[in-house]
Amino acid sequence: MKSGVGHTGSTEGAAGTAGAGGAAGAAQPADVAEPARKPGRVSAHEVSRAIRDDIIRGVHAPGARLAEEALSARYGVSRVPVREALRTLEAEGFVRSRPYAGVAVAELDDAEAEDLLEIRARLEPLGAGRAAARRTPEQLGRLKELLLLADDALAADRLGELARLNSRFHEVLAQASGSQTLTQLVTQLSWKIAWVYAVELPRRADDSWREHAEIVAALEAGDPDRAAKVVAKHIAQAQKAYRRRPSGAADASGGAAGSAESET
Amino acid sequence: MKSGVGHTGSTEGAAGTAGAGGAAGAAQPADVAEPARKPGRVSAHEVSRAIRDDIIRGVHAPGARLAEEALSARYGVSRVPVREALRTLEAEGFVRSRPYAGVAVAELDDAEAEDLLEIRARLEPLGAGRAAARRTPEQLGRLKELLLLADDALAADRLGELARLNSRFHEVLAQASGSQTLTQLVTQLSWKIAWVYAVELPRRADDSWREHAEIVAALEAGDPDRAAKVVAKHIAQAQKAYRRRPSGAADASGGAAGSAESET
DNA sequence: TCGGGGACGATTGTATTCAATCGAGGTAGA
DNA sequence: TCTACCTCGATTGAATACAATCGTCCCCGA
């Protein structure tokens, strides 16, 4: 008998590692320096999460070269877990690598950003439809909780946290679909969207969360068609907002230096 | 810029071990043995490709545990590149891992398979539309070349090769879209579809490649709408074929059924 | 006989060390 | 002065060695 490894589903939804949130605020790019994460024992998964967060926050600018040694110093681990993390990020499309030439942060031009939104527009309604049929009460509860947290954040005008809550909302929504593949796809997609939106998203925050509430209502009602439709509208609004953005701001200017709090 | 991982190689060299003789039915192959792949210098990227191919071909059955040492012995490298490969496959959704518990091949039930097809149905027409507008003559040439190769394979009734050509076709089609993100998504998706279809889909091959030719024609004409429409039809046909399959044998039961055939 | 606790083996996770490759810069020659 | 070649430094890629963790099995006690 092979005793085949449990794996009871759960596409790993962010284990609550305290995310070096300390350096919020300033968030100057590029200048690597402080270890930022010295606690003795970190896993490769966490390193990938840390690097991903930093990419999304603009700490590592698009096109920037990521030397393994520098990363290993920054995150306080050896090169081995760093390399593993880079492979993960490569598969996710955050970095590109060439043999013996190292890895660099991917560059997202406007066309890519548009594509991301277009892809999302086609996938999320699908997931929402599934979610309306399959969501568990617990998932519904988490979504509602996120709505409340967002209300607070809105009231306090903490936009950085809002961005995180937004990603999280769409992540949970994807999980509620009950499809492993769909969840993974949409989750990775939501990370990338957060990246692209790093600058723009806060502006639309208010409307966005009103729409989120509608989504939850549709899920609660268990109406797949309505859920899909509401999500589609939501995405379309987001697309419109992105296209209306002031300047071509797809790069890593300081925007939304959100705290990296990782409460799940 | 080519984005690493050239995919120039081909793995059919070791195809001889596929199927493991008539020993189908008896699940739990697991005990891989012969090195099958000793050539001196392989890179981590190639290892991930090798493992992925073996998963798709059913050499590693769904749910099977993948011990690092066993893999490193099988593919003739140390554990380090194996681990990197596993991180890649994890991000792609082919395996699932838990800290200190190792890695196991993911399990795709019928619902997941349906979702995969649904997702593809929504993404590929998008890519095809882009491709019709942006495809380069070189890409068009490669697609045509694939059509010819498929003709040969059809004539000679080499279904295993057809499966590979099929994946390759959709890969190139995605590349022609000019969108990095879309390319990566659709490519990874096509791998998974090949996996799901490996057991099923006896031979829709003939129709499938006729539709492929239509796709190429639309691309050549540079007509985005028509391209998207043709691809949508193509996917819909594939879905129909899948749903019409003889038995519901898409789960992890038998796993390592002989040669991998996937036609879309 | 059955349940709980602890030690052992096996496997994963990480660090350290060594080898291979690429790019930059300098030097010799035309 | 320009070009080609070559040497050297730096960085990536891989292998080996070490530490941490988990599951299992055995022993002990009720």
Side-chain angles (χ1 to χ4, degrees):
Chain A
M1 167 161 59
K2 276 309 147 98
S3 78
V5 187
H7 293 320
T8 63
S10 157
T11 312
E12 184 47 44
T17 310
Q28 285 298 339
D31 272 30
V32 299
E34 38 197 339
R37 200 178 286 257
K38 56 159 65 90
R41 316 220 9 83
V42 283
S43 157
H45 284 94
E46 304 193 25
V47 173
S48 75
R49 242 169 48 94
I51 299 179
R52 190 190 303 114
D53 280 353
D54 283 345
I55 289 177
I56 292 175
R57 294 198 340 228
V59 176
H60 304 301
R65 188 173 147 69
L66 298 177
E68 295 177 2
E69 191 127 9
L71 293 176
S72 96
R74 185 182 210 301
Y75 300 103
V77 295
S78 82
R79 276 178 51 213
V80 175
V82 167
R83 283 178 64 83
E84 293 183 17
L86 290 178
R87 290 292 162 266
T88 296
L89 295 175
E90 183 184 15
E92 292 173 355
F94 280 97
V95 304
R96 313 206 169 277
S97 81
R98 279 187 324 173
Y100 289 101
V103 309
V105 179
E107 313 198 37
L108 284 179
D109 55 15
D110 276 5
E112 294 288 336
E114 284 273 346
D115 287 342
L116 274 174
L117 296 170
E118 189 74 34
I119 293 167
R120 173 193 223 181
R122 301 189 177 222
L123 288 190
E124 287 223 43
L126 174 61
R130 295 271 198 288
R134 303 184 192 172
R135 90 283 185 292
T136 68
E138 189 211 353
Q139 287 162 338
L140 200 60
R142 277 202 286 176
L143 287 175
K144 286 184 175 177
E145 188 187 338
L146 284 169
L147 288 182
L148 293 180
L149 288 174
D151 269 347
D152 291 351
L154 266 173
D157 209 41
R158 288 169 304 188
L159 298 188
E161 189 179 339
L162 260 184
R164 274 193 49 76
L165 289 173
N166 185 68
S167 273
R168 190 90 191 100
F169 181 89
H170 285 275
E171 230 175 291
V172 175
L173 181 60
Q175 279 177 5
S177 74
S179 161
Q180 298 276 1
T181 303
L182 202 50
T183 300
Q184 192 163 9
L185 269 181
V186 172
T187 298
Q188 291 180 5
L189 208 57
S190 85
W191 291 336
K192 280 198 161 182
I193 304 240
W195 185 23
V196 172
Y197 268 57
V199 186
E200 162 57 24
L201 195 130
R203 188 171 326 246
R204 210 178 81 76
D206 203 50
D207 289 345
S208 175
W209 282 93
R210 198 168 302 133
E211 290 159 14
H212 282 173
E214 290 183 47
I215 293 171
V216 172
L219 256 56
E220 191 161 26
D223 182 342
D225 288 340
R226 183 169 143 222
K229 198 176 298 177
V230 173
V231 166
K233 194 186 79 179
H234 176 56
I235 308 290
Q237 292 291 340
Q239 282 178 304
K240 235 190 284 182
Y242 180 79
R243 295 197 180 109
R244 253 204 322 265
R245 75 193 184 284
S247 64
D251 60 349
S253 65
S259 69
E261 294 295 324
S262 74
E263 147 277 339
T264 59
Chain B
M1 181 88 74
K2 226 43 181 166
S3 87
V5 190
H7 291 310
T8 54
S10 42
T11 36
E12 55 276 26
T17 62
Q28 293 297 6
D31 271 31
V32 297
E34 35 196 340
R37 205 177 287 256
K38 55 159 63 88
R41 315 219 4 83
V42 283
S43 156
H45 284 93
E46 303 192 25
V47 173
S48 74
R49 234 167 58 86
I51 299 178
R52 189 190 304 115
D53 280 355
D54 282 346
I55 291 177
I56 292 175
R57 295 200 335 233
V59 176
H60 305 301
R65 171 115 188 271
L66 297 178
E68 295 177 3
E69 191 129 10
L71 293 177
S72 93
R74 182 175 213 285
Y75 299 104
V77 294
S78 81
R79 277 178 50 214
V80 175
V82 167
R83 283 179 64 83
E84 294 182 17
L86 290 177
R87 291 293 161 264
T88 297
L89 295 176
E90 182 182 16
E92 292 173 356
F94 280 98
V95 305
R96 313 206 171 278
S97 81
R98 278 187 325 175
Y100 290 101
V103 174
V105 179
E107 314 200 33
L108 286 179
D109 55 15
D110 274 6
E112 295 288 336
E114 284 274 347
D115 286 342
L116 275 174
L117 295 171
E118 191 73 35
I119 293 167
R120 174 192 224 177
R122 301 189 178 223
L123 289 191
E124 285 222 44
L126 175 61
R130 296 272 198 287
R134 301 185 194 170
R135 91 280 187 294
T136 67
E138 189 211 352
Q139 287 163 337
L140 200 60
R142 277 202 286 177
L143 288 175
K144 288 185 176 178
E145 187 188 337
L146 285 169
L147 288 184
L148 293 181
L149 288 174
D151 268 346
D152 290 351
L154 266 173
D157 208 43
R158 287 168 306 188
L159 297 187
E161 188 180 339
L162 260 185
R164 281 190 49 77
L165 289 173
N166 184 68
S167 274
R168 190 91 192 99
F169 182 89
H170 285 274
E171 231 175 289
V172 174
L173 180 61
Q175 279 177 6
S177 74
S179 161
Q180 298 277 2
T181 304
L182 201 50
T183 299
Q184 195 162 10
L185 270 180
V186 173
T187 298
Q188 291 181 4
L189 209 56
S190 84
W191 291 336
K192 278 200 163 181
I193 304 239
W195 184 26
V196 171
Y197 272 52
V199 193
E200 305 303 331
L201 265 275
R203 57 209 55 182
R204 206 178 79 78
D206 204 49
D207 290 345
S208 174
W209 282 93
R210 199 170 301 135
E211 290 160 13
H212 282 172
E214 289 183 47
I215 294 171
V216 172
L219 257 57
E220 190 161 26
D223 183 341
D225 287 341
R226 185 171 141 219
K229 197 175 299 178
V230 174
V231 167
K233 194 187 79 180
H234 177 55
I235 308 291
Q237 291 292 339
Q239 281 179 303
K240 231 189 290 182
Y242 180 77
R243 295 194 180 111
R244 247 203 328 262
R245 73 192 185 282
S247 66
D251 60 348
S253 66
S259 65
E261 306 162 13
S262 78
E263 320 300 343
T264 37

